[in-house]
Amino acid sequence: MPTAPARRRLVFLVGAHKTASSHLQQSLLDAAPALTARGVAILPPKLIRADLTPVSALVRDGISPEIGQGAGAAFLSLHGGTAPTVVLMDENILGSTDRKMLMRKTRLYPWAHHRLGRIITLFPGHEIEIGLAIRSPATFMPSCWSESLHHGPYEPFRRFTKGVDPLALRWSALAQRLHEAAPHARIIAWRYEDYPQVFPQVTTRLLGPDAGAQVTPVDRIMRPGLSAEAAHWLGQQEAPDKDTVLAARKRFPKTETTPGLDPWTAADHAAMAASYADDTAALATCPHVELVTPPVVSDA
C-alpha cells in the first residue's frame, strides 16, 4: 500500500469571493477522479469548514501547537489520502461577504492574514501555495453585496459600502498581508476579468501540467448575482427580507441582456479602472506573487 509523503504540496485556493471561485471549484471537483489518479486530492469547502475551520478557531483561542498540528496531520490523512498534492478550496479562509469581514475603509478582507495564518500553522513542514483571484472593485463590490443578501438581512448597496473608499482597496496590500502570515508560501494570482483566457494556465500552475490538462471548465454560470432590475425592485419594497430577495432573483433573473447592478458614474469607472490597473501592476512586481496573465498572441 502506498504511504502519504512526509512533505506534501498544499494549495490553498482562497477565492476571492465572486471571482468565478465556485466555477473553478466545480470544474476541479468534476475532474477529481482523474486528478486522484495523478496524485492530486481536491477538497471542497464543506470539508474545510467542517473539519479544519473549527480547529483554526481553537488556534485563535490558544490551543497547544502540538494539538493543532496533530489535527492538521489527521485532516490530511483522512481527506488527502496519499496524494502528494492537496488542493484545499474555501473562500471563507479570507473572510466572507459580510461587510465587516469583507471591507474596512481602505482594506480588503481585514482579518484574512490572521485567518490564513492560523490554518497554515496546522501544517508545518509542507510546501504551501495560495491561489488568489482578484477583481476590479467596480464589479467586485456590487457582486459581493448581491451575494451577502443570501446570508444576511437586506440592506441597500450604499449602506453596505458606506465608509469604504473603492480607490483605496488594494489587492496588492492584501497579498502583502497574506505573505506576512505565510512568508514561505508562494501566491499564484490571476484577474477575474482574464479568467476564461487563463483557465488552462491556472489549472496547470495549480495542479501541474499532466493533472491540469484533465480539468475542463463547467459549462454553466455558478451563483449568479442580482440583476440591476432585481436590485431596483428590492429598493422599492418595504422592509424586504430573504424571501423578498429570492422573489426578486426569480422575477428579474440576471442574464446577458439584464446585467447586474452598476451603481457608478462614468467618472467613477474611469478612476477605478486606473486604480485597478495600478494595483495589478503592483501585484505583479511582488517577489512572492506569480501573476498569471493571458498568453500573448503573435501577429505573425
Side-chain angles (χ1 to χ4, degrees):
M1 294 290 291
T3 58
R7 178 178 171 85
R8 307 192 200 219
R9 178 171 172 263
L10 307 183
V11 181
F12 290 86
L13 195 53
V14 298
H17 294 90
K18 308 311 294 179
T19 59
S21 55
S22 295
H23 183 276
L24 180 55
Q25 290 169 7
Q26 192 59 55
S27 299
L28 294 174
L29 288 170
D30 286 355
L35 296 177
T36 298
R38 288 161 176 81
V40 179
I42 304 296
L43 309 188
K46 65 179 181 180
L47 289 182
I48 310 304
R49 296 169 190 177
D51 288 353
L52 202 57
T53 302
V55 180
S56 70
L58 294 176
V59 172
R60 177 195 61 202
D61 296 336
I63 189 175
S64 298
E66 294 80 5
I67 299 297
Q69 293 165 14
F75 177 88
L76 287 180
S77 177
L78 178 62
H79 299 303
T82 60
T85 295
V86 181
V87 181
L88 304 92
M89 308 187 296
D90 187 11
E91 307 96 315
N92 287 357
I93 290 174
L94 295 181
S96 72
T97 54
D98 175 84
R99 161 60 195 276
K100 293 180 180 179
M101 298 294 291
L102 182 70
M103 302 176 293
R104 186 180 183 186
K105 295 183 179 178
T106 63
R107 180 174 281 196
L108 284 163
Y109 294 106
W111 317 114
H113 51 299
H114 297 305
R115 295 168 66 86
L116 176 69
R118 288 194 293 266
I119 286 184
I120 296 299
T121 62
L122 304 177
F123 303 104
H126 295 283
E127 178 185 353
I128 306 295
E129 293 191 333
I130 301 164
L132 173 69
I134 68 173
R135 184 174 181 176
S136 169
T139 57
F140 178 74
M141 294 171 70
S143 189
C144 285
W145 167 73
S146 174
E147 181 69 18
S148 74
L149 300 181
H150 280 293
H151 314 290
Y154 174 81
E155 63 176 334
F157 176 77
R158 295 299 179 187
R159 187 184 304 164
F160 180 76
T161 59
K162 185 177 180 180
V164 175
D165 179 3
L167 299 181
L169 298 177
R170 310 283 288 186
W171 294 103
S172 53
L174 171 63
Q176 180 60 34
R177 288 188 285 117
L178 297 182
H179 170 65
E180 292 168 0
H184 301 296
R186 185 77 175 162
I187 299 175
I188 302 101
W190 61 95
R191 299 192 330 149
Y192 164 81
E193 293 81 5
D194 298 329
Y195 177 69
Q197 297 100 307
V198 301
F199 182 92
Q201 295 168 266
V202 167
T203 56
T204 294
R205 181 60 185 82
L206 294 176
L207 310 175
D210 184 37
Q214 309 304 312
V215 185
T216 301
V218 296
D219 188 20
R220 66 181 184 276
I221 297 174
M222 310 289 293
R223 301 185 70 83
L226 282 175
S227 68
E229 292 177 308
H232 176 72
W233 182 80
L234 274 172
Q236 296 179 317
Q237 308 308 304
E238 183 176 350
D241 56 15
K242 288 185 179 181
D243 289 338
T244 316
V245 173
L246 181 61
R249 292 182 190 277
K250 291 182 177 180
R251 184 172 179 178
F252 305 102
K254 185 179 178 182
T255 67
E256 290 185 1
T257 58
T258 55
L261 175 69
D262 181 0
W264 315 111
T265 66
D268 291 333
H269 276 290
M272 282 187 276
S275 177
Y276 184 46
D278 180 65
D279 189 21
T280 302
L283 187 68
T285 66
C286 294
H288 48 276
V289 174
E290 179 181 337
L291 183 65
V292 181
T293 58
V296 177
V297 178
S298 174
D299 293 334

